[in-house]
Amino acid sequence: MTRKMHNAALGLLMKKPLQGLLLPLGRPLNPEKWIFVVGCYDSGTTLLATILGHLPGFGGLPNEGQFLTDMLPYPETHGWPRMFCQCLDKLGMNGAGEAEAERIRRQWSIWYPKDARYLVEKSITGMIRMEFLQKHFPNAYFIHIIRDGYAVAKGIQRNANMTRWGTPYDEYPIEMCARQWLVADDVATEQAGRLEHYLPVYYEDFAENTGKSMRRIMEFLGIESNGAGAESGTECPDVGSEVWRVHGMRSTIVNMNDREYRLLSEQDVEIIGEVAREGLERHGYAPPEPGVREPLETGGVA
């Protein structure tokens, strides 16, 4: 099957009515650990989830989990691609319990490999629902990718699909993108202290020293870093030197912040700094300096 045919088939199977019909094909899921990768849009969540999903003993999904169940709302259906801050009140799981969680697990089970012991899931809106996930998905671990809000804001503005979902904007104003980054960070910060297993990972550290970051992640998961666990007897690959396919791009892991910085005007920098000041200061992100960065000579995945 060609990639185009695969994507078309996946798109069909993501339709909510069909997901209900497929429910009887699901099975109970009882992994040793659930691993939820969360973070704002354009922060490296897909990259990390892809890497983890390819490790021995791990299993991932072919798309964000929110798209593979009829139980989880997402902002696109409300006309807000890459912009959950505009419809935050419509995305929670208030009143949902074990029955809804079991339906989600059974619908996801159709996509997970049957022999995986550690199941990886990534949905941007997962960070809104971390306490629900912790309560109903036993042994839940949360890895929060944090990336410079200046780079993220420009990434959101550049990558949002404004034609598919009926949004009222041709392009999001940069202040709205900065607010999305701040709201996402606030949502995670507010819940973090109530989560049993929560690890913040900075995108910049992960991209620039992937091996060290992966060892830290494996230690957090309680899995020895020389394998997907010592139990499996298999070596963990050198993920930093491998070529990964993310969002249609194939590359080794490269810090892509400079690409976004170069697209920001001085006014953009000022606006982002003002709107997202609290979060930027929380993480120590300083304004990029216009005109001092050289263009990247290679591509990269983020």
Side-chain angles (χ1 to χ4, degrees):
M1 181 184 293
T2 66
R3 175 164 294 276
K4 185 175 182 180
M5 292 171 62
H6 171 81
N7 290 340
L10 181 59
L12 177 63
L13 293 173
M14 286 166 52
K15 301 295 185 183
K16 298 298 186 185
L18 186 55
Q19 288 167 356
L21 295 175
L22 292 174
L23 184 63
L25 300 179
R27 67 187 193 277
L29 287 178
N30 297 292
E32 292 183 26
K33 289 180 172 70
W34 283 97
I35 302 165
F36 294 102
V37 177
V38 300
C40 190
Y41 306 96
D42 296 279
S43 292
T45 54
T46 300
L47 173 62
L48 178 57
T50 300
I51 290 171
L52 290 174
H54 280 79
L55 295 181
F58 288 65
L61 295 171
N63 206 326
E64 296 194 17
Q66 63 182 354
F67 300 135
L68 300 174
T69 173
D70 57 11
M71 292 305 301
L72 296 176
Y74 47 91
E76 283 77 8
T77 56
H78 298 285
W80 294 109
R82 280 182 168 356
M83 194 60 60
F84 72 62
C85 69
Q86 293 296 116
C87 53
L88 196 59
D89 59 328
K90 298 179 174 66
L91 303 177
M93 294 296 286
N94 297 331
E98 180 57 26
E100 288 79 6
E102 175 61 15
R103 186 179 180 94
I104 293 169
R105 289 192 294 268
R106 284 187 174 272
Q107 290 176 324
W108 285 352
S109 74
I110 297 170
W111 305 94
Y112 278 122
K114 292 184 178 180
D115 58 347
R117 299 159 58 196
Y118 313 110
L119 298 185
V120 181
E121 193 278 328
K122 170 254 174 169
S123 293
I124 294 299
T125 56
M127 64 194 315
I128 301 169
R129 302 184 278 256
M130 289 192 287
E131 290 179 276
F132 167 81
L133 294 170
Q134 176 173 260
K135 183 176 180 179
H136 296 288
F137 289 72
N139 298 318
Y141 286 70
F142 299 90
I143 305 173
H144 177 200
I145 302 291
I146 303 164
R147 186 181 182 187
D148 187 347
Y150 290 98
V152 170
K154 190 60 187 179
I156 292 172
Q157 186 184 58
R158 186 170 57 84
N159 292 320
N161 184 341
M162 309 304 281
T163 60
R164 180 179 176 186
W165 302 101
T167 177
Y169 293 89
D170 294 325
E171 180 182 81
Y172 288 135
I174 198 68
E175 55 264 34
M176 186 179 290
C177 302
R179 180 172 178 268
Q180 169 57 50
W181 180 85
L182 178 62
V183 169
D185 195 67
D186 286 346
V187 164
T189 300
E190 194 275 331
Q191 294 176 82
R194 299 190 294 275
L195 299 175
E196 186 175 353
H197 304 294
Y198 169 84
L199 178 70
V201 174
Y202 286 96
Y203 163 82
E204 294 80 13
D205 294 339
F206 185 82
E208 294 166 11
N209 196 333
T210 307
K212 181 178 180 180
S213 294
M214 286 298 296
R215 288 191 294 273
R216 179 168 172 254
I217 289 169
M218 290 301 178
E219 181 179 355
F220 164 69
L221 295 174
I223 302 170
E224 292 190 16
S225 62
N226 66 336
E231 312 98 333
S232 69
T234 56
E235 297 259 331
C236 182
D238 180 8
V239 299
S241 63
E242 289 198 8
V243 174
W244 298 96
R245 184 182 182 91
V246 177
H247 301 309
M249 179 183 295
R250 292 178 57 84
S251 174
T252 54
I253 300 170
V254 178
N255 184 339
M256 298 298 290
N257 282 357
D258 277 349
R259 179 182 66 180
E260 307 301 343
Y261 295 152
R262 293 196 305 273
L263 297 174
L264 291 169
S265 68
E266 290 189 22
Q267 184 179 25
D268 289 337
V269 172
E270 291 179 5
I271 291 171
I272 295 168
E274 182 63 30
V275 172
R277 183 182 308 279
E278 181 180 348
L280 294 167
E281 292 179 352
R282 181 186 300 151
H283 298 291
Y285 286 121
E289 299 177 19
V292 301
R293 290 172 170 77
E294 296 298 326
L296 291 175
E297 295 183 357
T298 61
V301 294

